[in-house]
Amino acid sequence: MKTCQPERVSLAGMKLAPGRTGLAWGGAEPAPKSHRSDLNSLNMAWKTSSLMQMYRFLLLVILFLPHEMTSSVLTVNGKTENYILDTEPGLEESLNCAVQNHTREEELLWYREDGRVDLKSANKINSSSVCVTSISENDNGITFTCKLRRNQSTSISVVLNVIFPPLLSGNDFQTAEEGSDVKLVCNVKSNPQPQMMWYKNSGFLNLEKNHHQIQQTSEYLQLSITKVKKSDNGTYSCIANSLIETKTKDFHLIVKDKASSVPIEPIIAACIVVFLTLLFGLIARRKRMMKVSKYSKLKSHLNKSRELAI
C-alpha cells in the first residue's frame, strides 16, 4: 500500500466549461466521479496528518511540562511568602527552609543580611535549617534569606522583630556657667518605639520660648537650653513610655556663677614690668651703696693717716 503525501492542489490549469457551472480540467468535460473520490481521500488524509501532528505536539508538551513549566517553591516554617518573625532577647529561633514542587535534588543557600551562612553538607539538599541563638536587641531588623543555588532569584526571607523595653543612656551630670548653652541628650533604644517626654524636678517641664527646645528622633530625645540661668538648676528626667514598660533616666544640671572676665595678658605684662623695675632699682641701689661704702672706707683711711702724721 502506498502512502499518499498531501500536496497543495493548484487551480491554475482549471477553467469553466461553456454553459456549465462546474470545474472542468483544461476546458474538457467535468471530472469523473473516481477522480473526485481521489480528491476527497487526499483531503481527508491531509486533515488526519495535521491532527496527528497536533496530538504529538500536545503529548510532548504534557510529557515535558513538569520539567520545563512547573517552578519550585520555597517555604520557611511552612510559609510561602516573606514574613516578620516576632521574638524577644534571649530566645532561640529555628528557621526551616524547604523546596516544594521540585523534580530533582535542589541545593539551598542561607544568607544573614548580605553574608552567606556556612551549612553542613547534610543540611543543604531540599531542606535546610538555621538556628538563631542568643537573640539580642541588636538583632532587631536582621533579615535571613533562603535561596535556590541554581536559581537565586527563587528566594524567601524572614525579618526578625525583636521586641524589648526602652534602654536609656546619657551623661548623668553636667555643669554649666550662667549664659552658656546646654544640651541634655537622652539616648533611647526600644522596640516598639516609645512615647518620650522631659520632666523637671519630678514635675512637668514648662517650656519657655527661645529658651527651651526639644528635638526627637528614633534614637534620642534632646533638650537644648539657651543661655542657662540659675533657675535652670535641677534634675531633668527623660521618660520613655512603651507598650511593654516605662523607663526613666535622670540628668542633673548644675549652673555656676559666671566667672569674671578679667584679661590675663595685661596682668602678666604688668607683673613683668613691675618685676623688672624692682630688679633694676635693686641693682642701682646696690651700686650706690657700694660707692658710698668705698668712699667711707677711703675717708676713714685718710683720717687715720692724718692722725699718724700729727
Side-chain angles (χ1 to χ4, degrees):
M1 179 180 297
K2 186 183 289 188
T3 304
C4 299
Q5 295 296 331
E7 297 177 359
R8 186 185 298 267
V9 179
S10 175
L11 301 180
M14 298 182 183
K15 63 179 180 180
L16 290 175
R20 298 180 181 270
T21 58
L23 289 175
W25 295 90
E29 291 293 325
K33 291 183 179 180
S34 60
H35 196 75
R36 290 179 183 176
S37 177
D38 292 340
L39 288 176
N40 291 336
S41 299
L42 185 63
N43 189 28
M44 290 181 65
W46 182 80
K47 289 182 178 180
T48 302
S49 178
S50 298
L51 288 175
M52 289 298 295
Q53 291 182 2
M54 184 179 296
Y55 291 152
R56 290 173 183 171
F57 175 75
L58 292 176
L59 182 60
L60 289 175
V61 170
I62 293 173
L63 289 175
F64 287 96
L65 182 64
H67 301 277
E68 304 296 334
M69 301 182 64
T70 303
S71 60
S72 299
V73 177
L74 295 181
T75 63
V76 171
N77 294 353
K79 294 180 173 58
T80 58
E81 301 289 340
N82 299 337
Y83 76 101
I84 297 175
L85 176 61
D86 293 337
T87 185
E88 297 178 10
L91 295 184
E92 180 178 301
E93 299 291 348
S94 180
L95 306 177
N96 181 36
C97 180
V99 188
Q100 308 294 333
N101 300 334
H102 62 91
T103 57
R104 63 180 184 181
E105 299 295 306
E106 297 284 3
E107 183 177 347
L108 297 174
L109 304 175
W110 270 108
Y111 287 85
R112 185 184 189 274
E113 295 294 307
D114 296 328
R116 184 169 164 181
V117 179
D118 291 332
L119 300 174
K120 295 181 179 179
S121 57
N123 189 29
K124 293 181 178 181
I125 307 302
N126 296 336
S127 179
S128 178
S129 297
V130 294
C131 189
V132 187
T133 60
S134 302
I135 293 175
S136 69
E137 295 83 0
N138 296 327
D139 294 321
N140 184 46
I142 296 296
T143 301
F144 287 85
T145 304
C146 179
K147 298 181 179 182
L148 278 181
R149 183 182 183 88
R150 67 175 179 85
N151 181 15
Q152 297 193 23
S153 63
T154 302
S155 64
I156 183 170
S157 297
V158 180
V159 180
L160 297 184
N161 183 38
V162 184
I163 300 173
F164 57 94
L167 303 175
L168 305 179
S169 62
N171 188 3
D172 297 344
F173 292 91
Q174 288 197 48
T175 303
E177 291 184 355
E178 279 188 287
S180 63
D181 296 339
V182 174
K183 290 182 179 180
L184 303 179
V185 182
C186 178
N187 301 307
V188 60
K189 196 171 185 180
S190 178
N191 185 35
Q193 285 294 316
Q195 293 182 345
M196 301 190 67
M197 63 195 75
W198 283 105
Y199 276 60
K200 181 184 178 183
N201 298 329
S202 301
F204 288 104
L205 174 62
N206 295 320
L207 299 178
E208 299 179 22
K209 189 177 180 181
N210 299 326
H211 186 59
H212 296 103
Q213 183 179 2
I214 293 179
Q215 182 180 358
Q216 182 175 0
T217 69
S218 61
E219 298 179 349
Y220 65 84
L221 177 68
Q222 176 178 289
L223 173 63
S224 301
I225 306 176
T226 305
K227 296 181 179 179
V228 294
K229 302 174 289 186
K230 280 287 188 176
S231 59
D232 293 319
N233 264 314
T235 299
Y236 294 79
S237 300
C238 172
I239 299 177
N241 183 16
S242 77
L243 298 175
I244 304 173
E245 189 177 351
T246 299
K247 290 293 186 70
T248 302
K249 181 172 179 58
D250 293 334
F251 295 80
H252 304 282
L253 176 62
I254 301 174
V255 181
K256 301 187 300 182
D257 293 331
K258 189 173 183 180
S260 57
S261 56
V262 178
I264 298 177
E265 290 81 1
I267 295 176
I268 295 175
C271 291
I272 293 174
V273 170
V274 171
F275 174 76
L276 293 176
T277 302
L278 292 174
L279 180 62
F280 290 140
L282 289 173
I283 294 173
R285 185 177 179 182
R286 179 179 176 81
K287 288 182 178 180
R288 286 195 300 268
M289 290 178 66
M290 291 178 66
K291 288 181 179 180
V292 170
S293 176
K294 289 181 179 180
Y295 176 76
S296 298
K297 288 181 179 180
L298 180 59
K299 187 176 181 180
S300 175
H301 181 70
L302 289 175
N303 289 335
K304 286 182 179 181
S305 298
R306 287 176 183 176
E307 289 178 355
L308 291 174
I310 293 174

